[in-house]
Amino acid sequence: NESQGWTQCSASQSSDFHLAGDYLLGGLFSLHAEVVGRLNLSQPVVPMCQVYNLKIVGYSYLRAMRFAVEEINNSSTLLPGVSLGYEMVDVCYLTNSIHPILYFLSNKHSVVQLHNNYTCYQPRVLAIIGPDSSEAAVIVADILNLFLIPQVSYRATTDELNNRERFPSAFRAISSMEQQIVAMLLLLKEFQWTWINVIYSDDDYGRQNLKLLRAQTTGICVALQETIPVLRRGQLFSEDLQGKIRAVVSKITHSTATVVIVLSLELTLQFFFQEAVRQNVTDLVWIAAEAWAIDHTLYNLTDLWKVGTILGVAAKEITIPGFDDFRVSLAGGDNGQASDQNTCNQVCDQCLRVARDIDQHLRLQGERIDFNVYSSVYIVAHALHKLLDCNATGCHKRMVYPWQLVPEVSSVDFTLLNKRINFRENGDTPNSFEIIQWQWNQPYCPFKKIASYSAKRQKLLFNPHDISWHTPNNMVPISVCSQKCGPGQWLKPIGFYSCCFECIDCESGTFLNNSDPYNCQPCPTDQWSNARSQDCYPRLVEYLEWQEGPTVALLLFSMLGLIAILVMSVIFAIHSHTPVVKSAGGRMCFFMMASLVIGFLSIPMYVGIPTVFKCMCRQTAFSLCFTLCLSCITVRSFQIICVFKMATRLPKAYNYWKKYNGQYIFIAVVLALKSAIITTNIIFNFPAPILLDVEDDPSIVVLECNERDNLRLLSNSSLDMFLSILCFYFAYMGKELPKNYNEAKYITLCMTSYFVSWVAVFLIRSIYQGVLVTIFDAAVVVINLLGLSMGYFGPKCYLIFFRPECNTAAYFQTSIQSYTMRQD
């Protein structure tokens, strides 16, 4: 079978496309192929120019090589005095790669000799141009690299050829498959298509492209991945294969993705698209791989326009001056005539006629791969230029072995038709791709360029207005699994696809950071946000401000209380020798008044921005001052009880109390205990301003001192409560004492005010939040200070000014005598 195929495709181990020269180049082109899907094996292998119009393009590639060789031979600068020749062989697309290579490797006697060392071996050709398919190029490269014969492929994009250790003499005049995939992904990114179908052929080309696509895909989800079966040589287009293609097309129809990437060679797709048209697949965007992006046979399929918009990654178009006319001119310099109408590797008049028939199409699609063939010949010519030390007058002609040409090919760097030609590390040229669109309404301009791809910058240079979409009003098609979420919505993945998600609003107090679309971030403690926010704003900080009405009232009453206590202090100082002042406590009254003054002066500490100093004053000043006042009142009441009721019963204890100033010792002990309690609270709960949330309105934060701990408040007030209870008790015991010594009703009023106010404080702190608590705390302090000032010292001042007859020693003696007589 192989021998029969070689005979049919290559005319009995000879090539009739040849030209003699000093140095021969080998050309591998596809001019034949089996009839894909033939119904029986008796059908012959026929010329591609009959059954598959693309292979007339293969004939165009062959003519591009001839054009380049003739142009170089006619040049007096590149290889002066040296002529290039060529041998061109048909590889029958995929099925005939080995025999042509053996033909090129043979010597002039058509024999491939076996040697241990091929350093001095002279094969038929010096370098080989082609073949076009990736699979054939790899097969050829595996053999040629054993002999280190330079191979420049003009269309093989496979990344297998990137392996320089495996293929040191293989080069490409086209960008790699990887760059094709990058261009596709940039196209998807440009139009925000994140939900796609991927169809690939069941061969090396399809699988390698799929692997690269999967490796480089980020932010794009594959809704459907299916394989297109590939017919092997001699295989029938069976019902099983037809069923597989129908199943693939049906799955595409039912997929929710509207973009389909097709990674396949051209021969496989004719039946695929015919089935797509039959199943009425419409309104999709198809992205073509380079292998079929400018395929005329597919373009001419009946009703293919119904499938939607077809975009493709194609080799960049570069015009070769004079080539269009050369392509359809009579073939000159060929050895032999067309002896068999079933072969196309001789001077094929039939292919020439077809080429002339579709000349307009070839002209309009531009020289894309033709330029790659053209530049491949120039690459070898420039390498020879360096190897032969050519100058303006001539070259040093000598025997050149293929391996000597390899390093010169890898280092070429020249400009051809304003295009820089050189090889990168992986052996491919920077000839980039471009994005084209199939135009159904312009048959003479079927493939329109819509974007250029820069491999160096990895960027598409786009003009979206050049695209004609299949959608109403020419709107860009949408292909997403889930619509884009609105501002302030996080993505909740559905299933295992990152592109399929549910949009959930960010709650109040959180925001969506663009760097993490899957989680809402909490706002900082001093900031807040509404629902569906993308950032936070500063919270409204509230505190008791100076200009507020409650503040003015508090400061007014505290100022009046301060003035009153100062006036009382002056009055008591002036009348310190009188019985009223002495009965009120004498010198202890000034301790009480001093503490009340400090208490009134601490009220401004509740107003304005809280600081550590203010918080410290609020926790210590009033508490110590009030405890000092209570201890003084308690010890004064106790002393009166002692004088009237205990002095006679416990004279010794009373004498000790009086001798050692028991009242001051009691006051000192109480203050020491209070100081210990306050110090402990400060150690475990240092007074400092903090921000507290307001449950009713989280956008507001209250700046206040950290004194809302009810346990701390209870411990701080426990000693005061104990003293208050003692005051109640002593006041009750002294209710029958002389009137001018009976303070029961005043003390009861002050202590009742104290108890009620602190119970109210606990209730307010448990129910309310915000500035209201601070206002109430300050109000309680003012009320208690005014209660002590007016309740205890007020009546004494009244007696001094309005009842002077009651402020005499005689009046007090009369009261004591009357009490003594009642007791008797």
Side-chain angles (χ1 to χ4, degrees):
N1 290 337
E2 287 293 334
S3 299
Q4 180 183 4
W6 168 245
T7 303
Q8 288 179 320
C9 286
S10 297
S12 303
Q13 301 183 356
S14 66
S15 172
D16 289 328
F17 277 136
H18 63 85
L19 177 69
D22 297 321
Y23 302 99
L24 285 183
L25 306 181
L28 299 176
F29 301 96
S30 296
L31 300 175
H32 286 77
E34 290 185 272
V35 181
V36 181
R38 57 184 174 166
L39 299 178
N40 58 74
L41 293 176
S42 63
Q43 284 183 292
V45 177
V46 298
M48 271 291 190
C49 53
Q50 289 182 357
V51 299
Y52 205 74
N53 286 341
L54 173 67
K55 290 310 157 190
I56 199 63
V57 179
Y59 174 76
S60 179
Y61 302 159
L62 177 149
R63 299 287 284 182
M65 180 173 176
R66 296 181 61 180
F67 180 75
V69 170
E70 292 188 16
E71 195 174 73
I72 292 169
N73 288 341
N74 292 330
S75 170
S76 60
T77 57
L78 185 56
L79 293 174
V82 174
S83 64
L84 293 181
Y86 53 75
E87 292 269 5
M88 299 184 191
V89 177
D90 179 17
V91 295
C92 294
Y93 194 60
L94 292 175
T95 58
N96 184 46
S97 299
I98 302 298
H99 288 96
I101 293 305
L102 294 177
Y103 174 69
F104 287 149
L105 289 174
S106 64
N107 55 25
K108 59 184 178 179
H109 302 293
S110 299
V111 174
V112 180
Q113 297 176 341
L114 297 179
H115 298 286
N116 291 329
N117 188 338
Y118 284 92
T119 304
C120 298
Y121 181 72
Q122 184 68 40
R124 183 180 296 272
V125 296
L126 188 62
I128 292 177
I129 309 299
D132 54 355
S133 69
S134 293
E135 186 175 342
V138 172
I139 294 173
V140 170
D142 274 324
I143 299 173
L144 292 182
N145 279 284
L146 299 175
F147 298 86
L148 286 180
I149 297 177
Q151 172 195 1
V152 184
S153 180
Y154 50 86
R155 199 174 184 182
T157 58
T158 176
D159 277 7
E160 283 191 71
L161 296 179
N162 291 350
N163 190 338
R164 305 313 296 160
E165 292 184 2
R166 179 183 173 190
F167 303 115
S169 63
F171 304 91
R172 284 177 302 189
I174 190 172
S175 294
S176 66
M177 189 180 289
E178 180 182 6
Q179 295 303 318
Q180 171 184 246
I181 296 300
V182 171
M184 287 183 176
L185 294 177
L186 290 174
L187 181 62
L188 297 177
K189 183 179 179 182
E190 175 71 23
F191 297 108
Q192 299 180 11
W193 295 326
T194 58
W195 188 236
I196 62 172
N197 298 325
V198 177
I199 309 300
Y200 67 100
S201 55
D202 188 18
D203 54 17
D204 290 342
Y205 182 84
R207 286 187 289 269
Q208 289 175 14
N209 272 283
L210 177 68
K211 182 179 179 180
L212 286 171
L213 180 67
R214 282 294 196 179
Q216 299 193 39
T217 299
T218 56
I220 297 173
C221 300
V222 178
L224 175 68
Q225 177 179 303
E226 288 295 328
T227 305
I228 303 176
V230 176
L231 288 170
R232 308 304 175 187
R233 183 178 183 185
Q235 185 178 9
L236 294 174
F237 191 58
S238 63
E239 283 294 329
D240 181 54
L241 291 179
Q242 295 180 47
K244 289 181 179 180
I245 291 179
R246 281 195 295 267
V248 172
V249 174
S250 178
K251 290 180 181 179
I252 293 174
T253 304
H254 293 91
S255 174
T256 57
T258 60
V259 173
V260 185
I261 294 180
V262 183
L263 306 172
S264 173
L265 297 174
E266 65 275 18
L267 286 179
T268 309
L269 297 178
Q270 181 173 356
F271 305 101
F272 172 80
F273 278 112
Q274 286 175 344
E275 181 62 26
V277 172
R278 192 190 68 81
Q279 292 192 26
N280 196 29
V281 177
T282 58
D283 300 331
L284 298 181
V285 176
W286 303 81
I287 299 179
E290 187 275 334
W292 66 277
I294 53 172
D295 188 277
H296 274 280
T297 302
L298 294 177
Y299 177 83
N300 291 322
L301 287 179
T302 304
D303 293 332
L304 185 62
W305 61 271
K306 294 180 180 179
V307 300
T309 302
I310 298 182
L311 308 176
V313 180
K316 183 171 287 188
E317 177 184 357
I318 300 177
T319 302
I320 306 174
F323 177 64
D324 285 335
D325 295 332
F326 180 85
R327 180 168 47 212
V328 294
S329 63
L330 289 175
D334 297 310
N335 182 21
Q337 301 297 324
S339 58
D340 188 351
Q341 291 300 316
N342 289 329
T343 59
C344 235
N345 60 323
Q346 282 76 37
V347 181
C348 185
D349 296 334
Q350 184 179 10
C351 285
L352 181 58
R353 287 195 301 271
V354 176
R356 286 173 173 173
D357 291 340
I358 65 168
D359 177 54
Q360 188 64 24
H361 289 282
L362 294 175
R363 289 175 183 265
L364 291 174
Q365 80 177 36
E367 286 85 35
R368 299 177 186 274
I369 305 302
D370 302 284
F371 177 79
N372 293 346
V373 178
Y374 178 77
S375 62
S376 299
V377 177
Y378 268 90
I379 287 170
V380 177
H382 276 271
L384 270 174
H385 178 89
K386 292 177 62 178
L387 190 63
L388 299 178
D389 296 325
C390 297
N391 52 38
T393 58
C395 301
H396 297 85
K397 278 199 256 185
R398 58 185 174 87
M399 175 69 70
V400 175
Y401 296 103
W403 61 266
Q404 294 177 309
L405 200 59
V406 172
E408 304 300 337
V409 171
S410 65
S411 62
V412 295
D413 191 352
F414 61 96
T415 300
L416 182 64
L417 300 181
N418 298 320
K419 180 70 177 179
R420 188 173 181 181
I421 306 295
N422 54 29
F423 289 108
R424 294 177 289 194
E425 292 181 0
N426 57 4
D428 61 342
T429 63
N431 293 346
S432 300
F433 295 108
E434 59 188 22
I435 308 298
I436 55 96
Q437 180 187 12
W438 289 21
Q439 300 187 102
W440 309 110
N441 57 349
Q442 299 184 36
Y444 292 102
C445 186
F447 310 116
K448 178 183 178 182
K449 172 185 171 182
I450 60 173
S452 297
Y453 169 64
S454 172
K456 183 177 181 180
R457 294 184 293 173
Q458 294 203 342
K459 182 178 180 181
L460 282 180
L461 305 177
F462 237 100
N463 186 3
H465 301 292
D466 290 342
I467 306 176
S468 299
W469 301 107
H470 60 269
T471 54
N473 300 321
N474 203 38
M475 297 294 293
V476 176
I478 297 173
S479 187
V480 294
C481 181
S482 301
Q483 290 294 330
K484 186 178 181 181
C485 290
Q489 291 183 315
W490 63 279
L491 312 183
K492 180 182 179 182
I494 300 175
F496 55 88
Y497 288 115
S498 61
C499 302
C500 301
F501 48 80
E502 183 181 354
C503 297
I504 308 296
D505 293 348
C506 286
E507 297 178 353
S508 300
T510 64
F511 70 101
L512 187 68
N513 192 330
N514 292 331
S515 62
D516 183 9
Y518 298 98
N519 295 286
C520 295
Q521 306 296 326
C523 291
T525 56
D526 60 341
Q527 294 183 346
W528 190 251
S529 67
N530 298 321
R532 292 191 62 175
S533 294
Q534 291 183 287
D535 51 21
C536 300
Y537 56 84
R539 284 182 171 184
L540 177 62
V541 180
E542 287 189 347
Y543 51 87
L544 187 57
E545 299 186 37
W546 294 95
Q547 68 273 16
E548 295 183 17
T551 303
V552 175
L554 287 172
L555 293 177
L556 178 61
F557 280 104
S558 64
M559 185 62 65
L560 293 176
L562 179 62
I563 294 171
I565 199 67
L566 289 175
V567 171
M568 291 178 189
S569 300
V570 174
I571 293 171
F572 269 55
I574 294 173
H575 299 87
S576 60
H577 59 283
T578 62
V580 170
V581 175
K582 290 181 179 179
S583 66
R587 287 179 294 179
M588 280 193 300
C589 292
F590 295 102
F591 286 113
M592 295 173 62
M593 290 180 175
S595 63
L596 291 174
V597 169
I598 295 173
F600 280 119
L601 290 176
S602 69
I603 297 301
M605 299 296 106
Y606 290 84
V607 185
I609 300 176
T611 61
V612 174
F613 174 74
K614 287 184 177 181
C615 293
M616 184 73 75
C617 290
R618 285 165 61 170
Q619 190 166 332
T620 57
F622 169 74
S623 185
L624 283 172
C625 294
F626 193 73
T627 301
L628 177 59
C629 290
L630 285 180
S631 62
C632 290
I633 294 174
T634 301
V635 77
R636 185 260 180 191
S637 300
F638 175 74
Q639 282 182 309
I640 292 175
I641 296 298
C642 287
V643 169
F644 285 97
K645 293 189 175 184
M646 297 181 63
T648 56
R649 299 177 186 177
L650 299 170
K652 187 177 291 187
Y654 177 73
N655 290 332
Y656 274 111
W657 174 269
K658 189 173 181 181
K659 179 180 179 181
Y660 293 106
N661 293 316
Q663 66 273 22
Y664 295 111
I665 294 175
F666 177 80
I667 293 171
V669 171
V670 169
L671 287 179
L673 286 174
K674 187 63 176 215
S675 298
I677 293 172
I678 292 176
T679 303
T680 302
N681 286 331
I682 290 174
I683 291 173
F684 289 100
N685 187 17
F686 187 79
I690 59 172
L691 293 172
L692 296 178
D693 297 331
V694 178
E695 293 181 0
D696 296 337
D697 189 356
S699 64
I700 298 175
V701 64
V702 178
L703 181 61
E704 63 175 31
C705 297
N706 57 339
E707 54 187 17
R708 288 202 176 187
D709 185 5
N710 288 334
L711 181 62
R712 183 203 61 77
L713 184 63
L714 184 63
S715 65
N716 207 25
S717 304
S718 58
L719 185 59
D720 295 340
M721 291 180 183
F722 175 71
L723 294 175
S724 298
I725 292 171
L726 284 179
C727 285
F728 269 119
Y729 176 72
F730 292 142
Y732 177 78
M733 289 180 64
K735 63 181 180 179
E736 296 178 354
L737 294 178
K739 185 177 180 180
N740 49 353
Y741 289 100
N742 187 352
E743 305 288 346
K745 58 183 178 182
Y746 302 119
I747 292 175
T748 300
L749 177 64
C750 293
M751 296 305 105
T752 301
S753 172
Y754 169 74
F755 278 115
V756 171
S757 62
W758 281 109
V759 169
V761 165
F762 278 101
L763 290 176
I764 292 296
R765 287 178 178 236
S766 302
I767 298 173
Y768 296 102
Q769 291 179 313
V771 179
L772 178 62
V773 176
T774 303
I775 295 173
F776 201 83
D777 286 347
V780 167
V781 172
V782 172
I783 290 171
N784 283 296
L785 291 174
L786 288 175
L788 286 175
S789 301
M790 299 297 105
Y792 189 80
F793 295 105
K796 309 298 187 291
C797 293
Y798 174 79
L799 291 176
I800 292 173
F801 282 101
F802 299 103
R803 298 288 300 276
E805 68 278 6
C806 296
N807 191 19
T808 61
Y811 179 80
F812 274 77
Q813 286 293 336
T814 302
S815 297
I816 294 172
Q817 290 174 1
S818 299
Y819 170 76
T820 304
M821 292 174 62
R822 287 197 306 271
Q823 295 298 316
D824 295 338

